[in-house]
Amino acid sequence: MAEQTVSGETTHFLLGADVICPHPDASAEKARNVLAVETVPGELVGAQAAHQPAPGHPNSINFSFKQWGTELKNSMSSFRPGRGHGDSRKSVFYTNEDWELLDPNPKELEESMAQEERKKPAPEGSRGVTGSGFPFDLGRIPYKGKRPLKDMIGSYRNRHVSSEPSAEGVQSSSSKSASEVQLQVQSQQEELEQLKKDLSSQKELVRLLQQTVRSSQYDKYFASSRLSEGIPKDALELLHRKDEQILGLSGQLERLSLERESLQQEARTLKTKVGELSEQLGMLVETIQAKDEVIMKLSRRLSEGADGTSSTSGVPGSPTPASREQLELDRLKDNLQGYKTQNKFLNKEILELSALRRNAERRERDLMAKYSSLEAKLCQIESKYLILLQEMKTPVCSEEQGPSRDVIAQLLEDALQVEGSEQPEQAFVKPHLVSEYDIYGFRTVPEDDEEEKLVAKVRALDLKTLHLTETQEVSTGVKWENYFASIMNREMACSPELKSLIRAGIPHEHRSTVWKWCVDLHTRKFKDNTEPGYFQTLLQKALEKQNPASKQIELDLLRTLPTNKHYSCPTSEGIQKLRNVLLAFSWRNPDIGYCQGLNRLVAVALLYLEQEDAFWCLATIVEVFMPRDYYTKTLLGSQVDQRVFRDLMSEKLPRLHAHLDQYNVDYTLITFNWFLVVFVDSVVSDILFKIWDSFLYEGPKVIFRFALALFKYKEEEILKLQDSMAIFKYLRYFTRTILDARKLISISFGDLNPFPLRQIRNRRAYHLEKVRLELTELEAIREDFLRERDSSPDKGELVSDEEEDT
């Protein structure tokens, strides 16, 4: 609090943490000008308005925002010189007085009212005066120690009574009885209680307003005075920031003090607990010592008793049978106690060994994770090494022959070797070798083309890198083990948990079981209507009697999966199984018989299923999943699905669809085979079998999902191509470059949602009618052409352009 005296006037300014006292002579007039109060014509302000009586109103408390404004003006005006008396220069909100609340009796109230009536000026001359908005005057009166509440009440009653002179005349003219006076006293006491409550609330309000006014007055005066003297505003802003920092640091200091006290209390509590535990420990140590002494005494007594028994055993008076039994019992008790002690120590050692084993297992897991990470990095480096060697190799057309070309050629030859039986020291210095076949039987590196061998080797290394990276995380195999443990004594059933597990991919060791369950789930209605041995019956009929499709089946057997060791030669174990399943199905469904593409579906199924299960898997795909005319001669269903896929491309991937249409690239020529054989020979084997996992469980909608996901995976690369031939060439092989199965699955089942099957069915029905109409028109045109050609008189003279050239 800073106090400034200007021409006999006392003004209090409330500061934050610093005290600033402006020069009294130089800035006195500036303060008067700054704190001047504007008055409305006809109104009194300052001390004159403060000494005027409050205007009479019928209610006991007259309180409004307009009167607050007037009180603020009066308070500001009281600081100016020449206004009011010297003893009443304080603000109307100055409330540093100590108020004393008393309970006056009726006699004191009447005397106080009479005294205030004599001091009060005539109310007629105060017309147009704006009085205080409060029912009591908190300023303009010099400090006189404690002020009794009865003076305040008398002043209030004086004002209240003066506002109703007519009522007072009527009251004085009529002589009332003592009972009426008593009732009036009671009402005055009730009003007094109400005034006490109002006084406490308004006193707090006045205190807050006083602080606000003083702060605003000082800020305005100090800013104007300092700015007029040329002090920069940065200093004022710095001052305010310092005040705010001081307040913030003060609050932080309080919080830290409270935290320190809590920590000290916690430390005292902990010290108390430590003392208690120390006492308990001392008691336990003493107890153990006492027990040890007892044990030693008992041992000495036992040894002394044994010596005495042995010395008296050969003389008359030897121990009786009862004493011998007692000795035997004591011996057994000693043995028991020894065994217990030994067991305790052994248990302790077992616990320690178990802890050591757990620590060793944890270190082993950490080392295995580190090893997998290092091996994955090694595979990445080797793939980059192969690509670098290929770029460094001198082109064939170059005539330069140098030692570097021979070195690079030798390095390429060593890098492209497959895993074999070589010495460990040789394998240490050579690049990492991959196996010749993967777990599904597909060849990882081709035999003929060196360029293709290099690309395949890089792809195999990248696949191994992804596999090693996945093993560091929570394996899907663990989740599948937990799932099978939860249904140990129950059959598998469709559920959201099983659906999410299948979408993430089925482990190699569980794929056969899950695929067989999926096939049985979809073909249950077929199997219920067939006799036992149905597959064997069809197979026997196919072997006994030739089928029109048998010739084509034999031609396609070795062309099914030539890169898979199970179907690579006529003597491979998968060739005969493939033949049996295709022949049996040709007799089951003579409308289709055999269609190129069915052989690849069966070949993939036979990698995990037996012949009969693979037969029913083919029946599920052809007769349940796909539309009716999907594998007929016209391939009507396949054509319809390509049009549906174009619609989905324009909806899900509009940028890519527009880009391909801009360069007139018909991508359905590429995707047609995807749908016909469910991505066989189109993607890497790891991704292929994950697609088949979801396909056998959910149906044909999965094909649309993964076809769109493949395009979305490489959308940015395709958009960069600006030539139709380059785009078409890229679309023919780009699916073989996609190796991250988790990312592809995330796009298929996450980014492409929603994907309702009802929408696909509706679009199939719509395009089916259009394709049928187009086929009908083409057939009519064909018949007209044939009829016209047959009826033409010079049909024998029609020759082709090639015949004319020859």
Side-chain angles (χ1 to χ4, degrees):
M1 179 75 71
E3 181 173 345
Q4 179 183 358
T5 305
V6 181
S7 302
E9 298 178 7
T10 302
T11 307
H12 296 271
F13 296 128
L14 184 63
L15 302 181
D18 301 332
V19 178
I20 299 175
C21 298
H23 195 276
D25 297 329
S27 58
E29 188 60 26
K30 295 179 183 179
R32 295 190 188 99
N33 295 331
V34 170
L35 304 177
V37 180
E38 295 182 0
T39 60
V40 180
E43 291 186 354
L44 296 178
V45 297
Q48 297 176 5
H51 284 288
Q52 294 298 327
H57 295 284
N59 54 349
S60 62
I61 297 175
N62 184 15
F63 197 78
S64 67
F65 288 99
K66 180 178 180 182
Q67 292 167 354
W68 281 11
T70 306
E71 288 294 341
L72 288 173
K73 290 179 181 180
N74 296 340
S75 176
M76 303 288 281
S77 178
S78 67
F79 285 95
R80 302 183 62 184
R83 301 290 182 91
H85 301 287
D87 296 335
S88 59
R89 295 300 180 94
K90 295 184 179 180
S91 172
V92 72
F93 297 110
Y94 191 83
T95 57
N96 286 343
E97 297 175 323
D98 294 329
W99 301 95
E100 180 181 2
L101 300 179
L102 301 175
D103 295 330
N105 52 33
K107 184 177 181 180
E108 290 177 346
L109 284 173
E110 292 176 1
E111 292 177 358
S112 177
M113 290 168 59
Q115 184 179 359
E116 289 295 327
E117 183 65 26
R118 289 194 298 271
K119 293 180 180 180
K120 180 187 68 173
E124 288 80 3
S126 60
R127 182 178 181 182
V129 176
T130 303
S132 174
F134 298 96
F136 45 80
D137 193 1
L138 298 178
R140 316 292 200 276
I141 301 174
Y143 178 73
K144 298 179 182 179
K146 291 189 176 181
R147 182 181 177 187
L149 185 61
K150 62 183 181 180
D151 295 341
M152 294 173 56
I153 302 304
S155 175
Y156 169 76
R157 292 305 304 165
N158 187 14
R159 295 178 185 177
H160 184 71
V161 174
S162 63
S163 63
E164 299 177 356
S166 59
E168 183 183 1
V170 174
Q171 193 174 20
S172 61
S173 61
S174 59
S175 57
K176 294 185 177 180
S177 61
S179 60
E180 294 177 352
V181 174
Q182 186 66 25
L183 290 174
Q184 185 178 2
V185 170
Q186 291 179 358
S187 64
Q188 293 292 337
Q189 288 179 352
E190 294 176 357
E191 190 174 2
L192 176 62
E193 295 295 331
Q194 183 65 28
L195 284 172
K196 287 180 181 180
K197 296 178 182 179
D198 295 339
L199 176 62
S200 60
S201 60
Q202 292 184 12
K203 211 170 179 183
E204 179 65 20
L205 177 62
V206 168
R207 185 183 64 80
L208 297 175
L209 289 174
Q210 172 194 0
Q211 294 178 358
T212 305
V213 169
R214 287 177 180 174
S215 177
S216 61
Q217 287 174 352
Y218 174 72
D219 289 343
K220 182 178 180 182
Y221 164 68
F222 181 75
S224 62
S225 62
R226 289 301 182 187
L227 288 176
S228 63
E229 294 176 2
I231 302 300
K233 293 184 178 179
D234 296 339
L236 296 177
E237 294 177 357
L238 179 61
L239 179 61
H240 286 297
R241 285 199 299 270
K242 293 297 183 182
D243 290 341
E244 293 175 357
Q245 290 178 4
I246 289 171
L247 291 176
L249 291 174
S250 300
Q252 187 176 2
L253 181 60
E254 292 178 359
R255 289 193 299 271
L256 292 175
S257 299
L258 293 175
E259 186 177 357
R260 186 191 63 178
E261 291 177 0
S262 63
L263 291 176
Q264 289 177 351
Q265 181 65 27
E266 186 177 357
R268 288 193 294 269
T269 304
L270 292 176
K271 287 182 180 179
T272 305
K273 291 182 178 179
V274 168
E276 294 177 355
L277 292 175
S278 300
E279 293 178 358
Q280 293 179 3
L281 180 61
M283 294 174 61
L284 291 174
V285 170
E286 293 176 358
T287 304
I288 291 173
Q289 292 177 355
K291 289 184 178 180
D292 290 340
E293 293 177 358
V294 172
I295 291 172
M296 294 298 295
K297 290 179 180 180
L298 292 176
S299 300
R300 285 196 298 269
R301 289 181 182 178
L302 182 62
S303 61
E304 292 174 357
D307 294 340
T309 304
S310 61
S311 61
T312 58
S313 59
V315 298
S318 60
T320 62
S323 62
R324 286 196 299 269
E325 291 178 358
Q326 183 64 32
L327 291 174
E328 184 67 17
L329 180 61
D330 293 340
R331 187 180 63 80
L332 292 175
K333 287 182 179 180
D334 292 341
N335 292 337
L336 178 62
Q337 186 66 29
Y339 289 144
K340 286 182 178 180
T341 305
Q342 185 179 6
N343 187 28
K344 184 188 298 184
F345 284 113
L346 289 176
N347 289 335
K348 185 178 180 181
E349 291 180 359
I350 290 172
L351 292 176
E352 292 177 355
L353 290 175
S354 299
L356 292 174
R357 182 179 58 81
R358 287 194 297 269
N359 294 334
E361 289 177 352
R362 184 174 64 255
R363 287 196 299 270
E364 183 182 2
R365 287 195 299 269
D366 295 340
L367 290 174
M368 288 299 297
K370 186 176 180 180
Y371 167 75
S372 299
S373 177
L374 292 175
E375 191 174 3
K377 291 180 180 179
L378 177 62
C379 291
Q380 292 178 354
I381 293 173
E382 289 177 1
S383 64
K384 294 176 183 178
Y385 166 74
L386 291 175
I387 296 173
L388 181 62
L389 287 178
Q390 183 65 23
E391 292 178 355
M392 292 284 295
K393 187 177 180 182
T394 306
V396 179
C397 60
S398 176
E399 297 180 358
E400 297 180 2
Q401 298 290 336
S404 61
R405 180 178 178 182
D406 297 336
V407 172
I408 293 174
Q410 182 63 36
L411 289 175
L412 276 174
E413 183 179 353
D414 294 341
L416 294 176
Q417 286 183 2
V418 296
E419 199 172 68
S421 58
E422 56 183 6
Q423 299 298 327
E425 60 273 9
Q426 295 176 351
F428 179 77
V429 297
K430 289 186 177 181
H432 186 79
L433 301 179
V434 297
S435 59
E436 184 178 4
Y437 295 95
D438 60 10
I439 59 174
Y440 311 106
F442 290 95
R443 182 181 292 275
T444 55
V445 180
E447 297 178 347
D448 302 327
D449 189 6
E450 182 178 349
E451 185 75 21
E452 184 63 27
K453 287 172 67 176
L454 180 64
V455 174
K457 180 68 178 291
V458 172
R459 184 166 60 242
L461 289 171
D462 292 339
L463 278 172
K464 189 166 186 178
T465 302
L466 289 172
H467 176 70
L468 291 171
T469 305
E470 290 177 359
T471 55
Q472 299 179 24
E473 302 177 0
V474 179
S475 174
T476 55
V478 176
K479 299 179 181 178
W480 276 98
E481 292 294 340
N482 294 335
Y483 174 76
F484 282 114
S486 65
I487 60 165
M488 183 175 296
N489 297 323
R490 295 181 287 111
E491 294 184 357
M492 295 175 62
C494 297
S495 65
E497 179 187 4
L498 180 60
K499 186 177 183 179
S500 62
L501 286 175
I502 290 177
R503 284 183 172 183
I506 306 172
H508 177 70
E509 59 272 15
H510 299 303
R511 183 167 281 136
S512 176
T513 303
V514 179
W515 278 20
K516 186 177 185 305
W517 175 81
C518 291
V519 171
D520 292 340
L521 179 68
H522 296 295
T523 58
R524 194 168 296 161
K525 58 181 180 180
F526 294 151
K527 291 183 177 181
D528 293 342
N529 297 328
T530 58
E531 298 178 357
Y534 176 71
F535 170 73
Q536 297 296 333
T537 303
L538 293 176
L539 180 59
Q540 187 67 27
K541 185 186 298 185
L543 294 176
E544 293 175 356
K545 185 178 180 181
Q546 285 291 330
N547 189 289
S550 300
K551 184 177 180 180
Q552 188 63 41
I553 290 174
E554 290 295 330
L555 291 175
D556 288 346
L557 287 177
L558 294 177
R559 295 183 295 185
T560 302
L561 292 178
T563 60
N564 192 288
K565 64 181 180 181
H566 301 292
Y567 308 99
S568 58
C569 62
T571 58
S572 299
E573 57 179 349
I575 293 295
Q576 185 59 40
K577 295 179 181 179
L578 180 62
R579 180 187 292 111
N580 293 340
V581 174
L582 291 174
L583 288 175
F585 184 79
S586 65
W587 281 96
R588 170 180 169 80
N589 195 330
D591 292 340
I592 296 176
Y594 172 74
C595 173
Q596 287 184 344
L598 298 182
N599 55 335
R600 296 186 177 184
L601 297 176
V602 176
V604 172
L606 283 172
L607 293 177
Y608 284 100
L609 300 175
E610 296 296 332
Q611 295 185 47
E612 185 173 358
D613 295 326
F615 167 80
W616 287 113
C617 179
L618 181 62
T620 300
I621 296 173
V622 176
E623 301 175 11
V624 178
F625 288 164
M626 300 303 187
R628 181 177 181 182
D629 298 328
Y630 215 85
Y631 294 98
T632 56
K633 293 181 180 181
T634 60
L635 299 176
L636 180 62
S638 301
Q639 298 182 48
V640 170
D641 271 2
Q642 296 309 304
R643 300 195 180 192
V644 174
F645 181 68
R646 287 184 65 89
D647 293 346
L648 293 175
M649 278 282 289
S650 62
E651 177 185 341
K652 301 290 185 180
L653 303 173
R655 282 200 310 154
L656 184 59
H657 178 75
H659 181 73
L660 296 175
D661 280 352
Q662 179 183 357
Y663 291 97
N664 297 321
V665 176
D666 187 7
Y667 52 86
T668 58
L669 298 176
I670 305 296
T671 59
F672 185 85
N673 195 53
W674 297 1
F675 284 75
L676 196 67
V677 297
V678 195
F679 298 101
V680 178
D681 273 348
S682 298
V683 294
V684 295
S685 56
D686 186 56
I687 294 179
L688 171 67
F689 288 99
K690 284 183 169 59
I691 294 175
W692 271 65
D693 293 340
S694 301
F695 171 69
L696 292 178
Y697 182 76
E698 299 185 44
K701 183 174 68 171
V702 171
I703 304 178
F704 290 96
R705 279 187 179 273
F706 277 97
L708 291 170
L710 289 171
F711 278 105
K712 187 173 179 60
Y713 195 106
K714 294 291 185 178
E715 181 178 11
E716 298 301 328
E717 286 78 358
I718 299 174
L719 291 175
K720 293 176 182 177
L721 301 176
Q722 304 295 327
D723 180 67
S724 59
M725 292 300 297
I727 294 174
F728 193 80
K729 183 180 179 180
Y730 182 76
L731 293 180
R732 292 185 64 181
Y733 74 87
F734 84 100
T735 55
R736 305 289 299 182
T737 64
I738 297 176
L739 306 177
D740 194 347
R742 289 193 302 174
K743 182 179 178 181
L744 185 66
I745 291 171
S746 175
I747 295 173
S748 302
F749 298 107
D751 299 347
L752 297 177
N753 286 332
F755 211 92
L757 181 61
R758 181 177 63 257
Q759 180 184 11
I760 295 177
R761 289 174 178 171
N762 294 337
R763 292 187 178 184
R764 274 178 170 173
Y766 170 74
H767 288 293
L768 180 62
E769 296 298 326
K770 293 183 64 176
V771 172
R772 282 177 176 173
L773 289 175
E774 292 175 3
L775 290 177
T776 303
E777 293 176 0
L778 289 174
E779 186 65 25
I781 293 172
R782 178 176 173 277
E783 291 177 358
D784 292 341
F785 174 75
L786 293 176
R787 191 182 307 109
E788 183 179 355
R789 190 184 65 175
D790 293 339
S791 62
S792 176
D794 54 350
K795 61 181 180 179
E797 299 178 359
L798 294 175
V799 293
S800 63
D801 295 339
E802 295 179 355
E803 292 175 350
E804 289 180 356
D805 294 338
T806 57

